[in-house]
Amino acid sequence: MHCEDVFHRRRKAGILPSLEDLLFYTIAEGQEKIPAHKFTTALKATGLRTGDPRLKECMEMLKVTVKTTSDGALDRHLFKKCVQSNIVLLTQAFRKKFVIPDFQSFCGHMDDLFENARNLSGGQVADYIPQLARFSPDLWAVSLCTVDGQRHTVGDTKVPFCLQSCVKPLKYAIAVHDHGTEYVHRFIGKEPSGLRFNKLFLNEEDKPHNPMVNAGAIVCTSLIKQGASNAEKFDYVMNFMNKLAGNEYVGFSNATFQSERESGDRNFAIGYYLKEKKCFPEGTDMTSILDFYFQLCSIEVTCESASVMAATLANGGFCPITGERVLNPEAVRNTLSLMHSCGMYDFSGQFAFHVGLPAKSGVAGGILLVVPNVMGIMCWSPPLDKLGNSVRGIQFCTDLVSLCNFHNYDNMRHFAKKLDPRREGGDQRVKSVINLLFAAYTGDVSALRRFALSSMDMEQRDYDSRTALHVAAAEGHTEVVRFLLEACKVNPVPKDRWGNTPMDEAVHFGHHDVVTILRDYHTQYSPQETPDDKQSAEKNLDGLL
Ligand code: GLU
């Protein structure tokens, strides 16, 4: 049966387009059916992954449903069956409501930056333990995850490596989440040390300078799950790591742990010094805390899973792909502040100056980078510069901020504009009829005001010749109907492809208040006066916007 007939019959039966239908028409582009692969390709273009836990129901249903078809394609009915459980997320994705609306072109830029850094050959792979020395200097990966869970990944992003010092901000976040700022900072300062990360040195109050240097991180380790057994402590942190990573890869390298412990003389020296200066909470067993410290350095991630961890920080403590709250706002804010000032070893000041974003690097070559409210990024490449930061990682971060306005102080008034991938891309998107009809459908008057203000044609029709006024009348959104008539002066009697007017819709669905508004409007204005009086429409807009 032809698509039009189906639609006509449905309308006769009094069923209006649902969100699922609107999504169907968006993806089908005029075809009667959507091939499953077309749907998944379109989905990936938004940045969502088919493996996203938030789309589990949809993907499972898709798999089952496709098997029942002869051609692997979904008609409107089957499509609805597949998407309905996750319709809110899918609608957001296809309406380009995610933080990076034009995700494909953003990924293109990221790939260019990745290629640019790939060519760098400088730096030295850490070799103080064999588990690190073994990594090829050619390994290079960048993964990102936005606060809406859009993913992009390029290079060796599935190779496990140890977090090493990148775990420091994460365990600090756990400590603050559990105990609050005041308690944690009774033991640890908040000031950059100006000294090498593993220096045996405390501030004037005999506290470690901050939780991003070894002394501070060792004390921070002692604050987690005090009184619990070593096994319980480890499980507790691993559980946190899994949640931060949205249950993506988190492992443990026992070999690294053993090597770290065997070669950890400096950390033992720091441990004894901290003990002498009474830096630990009472009752702390310093040597088992050092073990725990080495274990946390030996937690493994992949570039991909770590990008989700960073994204959880970027997203105020909620993991973007599970929606779970992992850290409270206080923990996130503190962590980002200290990453910003102390996260990049003795390059921290320069990094804060040039890149202006919170980040933490580790000796395995990772740089955990956070663009607050936008995305988390993990860059990984083992060769390190003299200060201990990944050579390719630093290049990528610097290039990223040269291209995009992500630096903390990029968005000042009167600044020359850099690329802002957060912006809604171009007029085309804003003017698309689908957004107009969605706003009318959901009764979103303020969105309609914005559209009107950006001189959108408020009489636009979809391919069934339906206008925003049809949709608002059918849904009974009186405020929208009034706005369209009075402020926008839209034609009050447009006919859709079945010859129905907004009045027909309002009557059909029993929205008496809408019927009254439309009738009053008719009586107030003679038919010649009503439509297309753009000048007075503009005047009215002034009053109503
Ligand atoms: N395991 C190393 C240490 O504690 C971590 C080094 C690092 O990543 O900065 O010395």
Side-chain angles (χ1 to χ4, degrees):
M1 192 184 304
H2 197 262
C3 198
E4 273 177 37
D5 300 335
V6 176
F7 205 72
H8 192 48
R9 271 195 6 202
R10 289 186 61 243
R11 278 202 50 80
K12 286 260 141 114
I15 309 161
L16 267 180
S18 58
L19 287 177
E20 288 87 345
D21 285 342
L22 289 168
L23 190 60
F24 179 86
Y25 296 125
T26 311
I27 301 171
E29 293 171 316
Q31 301 300 305
E32 282 173 46
K33 287 185 177 181
I34 301 176
H37 65 84
K38 180 172 180 171
F39 172 53
T40 49
T41 306
L43 186 67
K44 284 179 198 154
T46 70
L48 287 183
R49 283 194 174 166
T50 51
D52 191 308
R54 296 168 298 171
L55 293 175
K56 190 162 170 269
E57 293 87 353
C58 169
M59 288 303 140
E60 276 169 5
M61 188 54 88
L62 184 65
K63 215 190 268 168
V64 177
T65 308
V66 163
K67 283 194 192 132
T68 67
T69 66
S70 54
D71 54 358
L74 308 168
D75 61 16
R76 196 183 47 74
H77 219 73
L78 291 179
F79 181 79
K80 181 169 189 161
K81 210 169 107 186
C82 293
V83 299
Q84 61 192 2
S85 321
N86 306 124
I87 189 64
V88 175
L89 180 65
L90 290 167
T91 304
Q92 267 186 313
F94 284 98
R95 289 178 67 199
K96 292 192 181 287
K97 286 291 178 190
F98 285 161
V99 64
I100 309 284
D102 193 355
F103 198 64
Q104 291 304 94
S105 94
F106 180 71
C107 294
H109 288 303
M110 294 305 100
D111 292 350
D112 292 345
L113 302 188
F114 176 85
E115 284 307 322
N116 186 40
R118 187 210 286 278
N119 301 328
L120 296 177
S121 56
Q124 214 61 49
V125 178
D127 58 3
Y128 70 95
I129 56 172
Q131 289 70 30
L132 286 173
R134 233 174 261 147
F135 278 119
S136 157
D138 298 330
L139 288 162
W140 170 221
V142 174
S143 293
L144 65 90
C145 173
T146 71
V147 291
D148 290 311
Q150 296 164 285
R151 311 287 297 270
H152 182 60
T153 193
V154 49
D156 306 301
T157 51
K158 289 189 161 48
V159 182
F161 63 93
C162 287
L163 278 171
Q164 290 284 3
S165 282
C166 296
V167 83
K168 289 179 167 104
L170 306 177
K171 68 180 154 189
Y172 169 71
I174 297 173
V176 175
H177 179 85
D178 287 348
H179 302 295
T181 310
E182 194 279 322
Y183 179 79
V184 171
H185 286 283
R186 260 188 240 166
F187 299 90
I188 313 168
K190 305 162 186 151
E191 196 69 15
S193 66
L195 300 165
R196 282 195 70 79
F197 72 101
N198 59 357
K199 189 95 177 164
L200 212 160
F201 204 74
L202 299 174
N203 67 17
E204 292 120 62
E205 296 176 61
D206 274 349
K207 289 187 203 172
H209 285 83
N210 65 68
M212 304 298 151
V213 293
N214 285 15
I218 293 169
V219 171
C220 191
T221 305
S222 76
L223 304 181
I224 296 174
K225 271 269 169 215
Q226 294 167 48
S229 71
N230 293 339
E232 278 168 349
K233 288 182 183 185
F234 183 75
D235 275 347
Y236 183 71
V237 172
M238 284 304 264
N239 186 37
F240 249 105
M241 295 294 149
N242 284 317
K243 285 195 207 165
L244 285 166
N247 299 314
E248 294 195 358
Y249 182 81
V250 178
F252 175 68
S253 166
N254 188 41
T256 303
F257 164 57
Q258 300 294 344
S259 293
E260 286 287 343
R261 181 158 62 177
E262 279 159 27
S263 65
D265 292 339
R266 171 62 64 93
N267 287 320
F268 276 99
I270 293 174
Y272 279 104
Y273 187 48
L274 291 168
K275 190 174 163 207
E276 181 209 336
K277 295 288 183 189
K278 306 216 174 333
C279 295
F280 293 112
E282 227 166 282
T284 300
D285 172 357
M286 187 272 291
T287 47
S288 68
I289 287 304
L290 277 180
D291 265 4
F292 192 23
Y293 171 85
F294 295 131
Q295 284 162 8
L296 300 188
C297 288
S298 310
I299 292 176
E300 277 185 342
V301 291
T302 61
C303 213
E304 293 201 7
S305 63
S307 71
V308 181
M309 294 174 159
T312 301
L313 290 174
N315 196 30
F318 285 86
C319 176
I321 61 170
T322 60
E324 188 179 0
R325 176 189 271 295
V326 188
L327 294 168
N328 62 35
E330 181 184 349
V332 174
R333 199 183 74 157
N334 287 6
T335 304
L336 296 179
S337 304
L338 290 172
M339 286 168 78
H340 189 92
S341 57
C342 317
M344 299 298 287
Y345 303 118
D346 294 351
F347 192 65
S348 298
Q350 293 216 54
F351 194 88
F353 182 85
H354 290 291
V355 179
L357 289 172
K360 182 72 197 86
S361 62
V363 74
I367 299 181
L368 200 65
L369 180 74
V370 178
V371 187
N373 297 317
V374 182
M375 69 179 80
I377 301 178
M378 178 53 118
C379 304
W380 177 59
S381 185
L384 308 176
D385 63 21
K386 289 210 166 57
L387 298 173
N389 294 309
S390 165
V391 172
R392 292 193 181 97
I394 291 283
Q395 183 73 42
F396 182 89
C397 296
T398 314
D399 287 351
L400 176 70
V401 168
S402 309
L403 177 71
C404 304
N405 62 353
F406 289 162
H407 188 294
N408 197 23
Y409 301 113
D410 260 337
N411 300 309
M412 313 291 289
R413 300 170 75 184
H414 313 304
F415 271 23
K417 292 278 171 277
K418 288 189 200 170
L419 177 69
D420 186 354
R422 286 164 285 203
R423 278 254 172 75
E424 297 182 345
D427 282 353
Q428 208 187 340
R429 189 187 101 64
V430 179
K431 286 187 178 152
S432 80
V433 65
I434 199 91
N435 279 317
L436 181 62
L437 296 200
F438 261 108
Y441 180 81
T442 53
D444 189 347
V445 188
S446 53
L448 289 168
R449 288 198 188 105
R450 279 198 308 276
F451 294 154
L453 194 60
S454 61
S455 59
M456 181 190 274
D457 175 6
M458 303 301 277
E459 294 186 346
Q460 282 182 95
R461 291 157 180 264
D462 71 1
Y463 80 90
D464 287 327
S465 278
R466 292 171 59 73
T467 64
L469 192 60
H470 281 99
V471 176
E475 290 300 313
H477 293 310
T478 49
E479 226 194 319
V480 173
V481 171
R482 220 176 256 128
F483 176 75
L484 288 168
L485 292 173
E486 293 171 8
C488 308
K489 295 271 178 198
V490 297
N491 177 3
V493 285
K495 290 199 169 136
D496 67 14
R497 81 198 294 180
W498 304 279
N500 292 328
T501 63
M503 179 66 98
D504 297 330
E505 300 282 357
V507 171
H508 183 87
F509 290 99
H511 296 305
H512 305 298
D513 31 6
V514 174
V515 172
T516 314
I517 296 169
L518 286 163
R519 195 184 300 124
D520 288 356
Y521 191 77
H522 275 277
T523 17
Q524 242 177 332
Y525 301 96
S526 70
Q528 295 95 307
E529 277 171 330
T530 42
D532 287 336
D533 188 354
K534 294 291 176 203
Q535 254 187 342
S536 77
E538 269 160 33
K539 256 187 241 143
N540 274 292
L541 276 171
D542 284 344
L544 283 155
L545 286 168

